[in-house]
Amino acid sequence: TDPLTGLYNRRYMEGQMAMLVDNAANRQRCVSVIALDADHFKSVNDTYGHDVGDRVLQELANRIKRNVRNVDMACRTGGEEFIVVLPDTEPRVAEKIAERVLRAVSAKPFPTGGKALPLTVTVSIGVAGYEGLGDRAADILKRADEALYRAKHEGRNRIVSAAA
């Protein structure tokens, strides 16, 4: 697990996701991925310090956990980057879960724990799903990541689906 947020880390996610994709291939199941990244996070650390940045990341992780299902695997994969793996979930359902996370993040300012005022935080999100035999975990993650970067390029604080 990630020591700061308590979420699963990248290594754990990669192993579990490989098994879920194998299961999807062998049993004709679905698996989807939500990739999300805090918008303009570097400015939080630069302006308020890493202690405030850490508190923002912890609160972001809490909001993600509270807005995904118990079966979903929320992970911090590095910096301000997060992945949620959704077993037995079609991409259109993953998009609805991503919408819930997006709203939960932007709905209420993040406490800073210090003299600084609460901060408005938004996230950009990419969604991708298993596309059939021959599709690997790395392929799904790459499509989700590409969709995430499209969301950033299109103005941030939004969701882009790889299927779109």
Side-chain angles (χ1 to χ4, degrees):
T1 57
D2 172 59
L4 179 66
T5 63
L7 299 180
Y8 294 111
N9 62 25
R10 175 179 289 279
R11 186 174 4 161
Y12 181 81
M13 181 266 308
E14 288 173 346
Q16 293 298 306
M17 191 160 164
M19 289 188 302
L20 289 168
V21 171
D22 285 346
N23 188 46
N26 294 330
R27 297 195 173 136
Q28 298 179 338
R29 307 294 285 255
C30 302
V31 62
S32 292
V33 169
I34 296 170
L36 61 118
D37 186 85
D39 295 328
H40 305 293
F41 186 75
K42 184 179 181 324
S43 68
V44 172
N45 280 333
D46 291 349
T47 303
Y48 302 101
H50 289 277
D51 57 333
V52 171
D54 286 351
R55 281 193 284 282
V56 167
L57 290 173
Q58 289 167 333
E59 177 62 18
L60 179 55
N62 288 333
R63 292 185 192 191
I64 292 168
K65 281 191 289 192
R66 285 193 307 262
N67 288 282
V68 299
R69 304 163 308 178
N70 289 338
V71 297
D72 300 330
M73 184 174 43
C75 312
R76 178 177 177 219
T77 55
E80 69 277 9
E81 300 166 2
F82 298 83
I83 296 284
V84 182
V85 181
L86 303 107
D88 295 320
T89 306
E90 294 179 8
R92 63 180 170 72
V93 175
E95 288 176 31
K96 292 191 182 315
I97 295 168
E99 288 169 11
R100 192 168 59 225
V101 171
L102 184 80
R103 281 192 309 271
V105 170
S106 62
K108 181 177 165 189
F110 281 55
T112 59
K115 293 180 181 179
L117 294 173
L119 301 174
T120 299
V121 176
T122 62
V123 291
S124 296
I125 299 177
V127 177
Y130 175 71
E131 294 184 350
L133 289 176
D135 208 10
R136 298 172 301 136
D139 300 327
I140 301 166
L141 289 167
K142 181 176 172 61
R143 288 193 303 275
D145 196 48
E146 289 169 351
L148 164 65
Y149 281 100
R150 282 202 330 261
K152 289 208 174 273
H153 180 72
E154 292 174 10
R156 303 179 192 273
N157 193 29
R158 68 189 64 232
I159 300 163
V160 171
S161 176

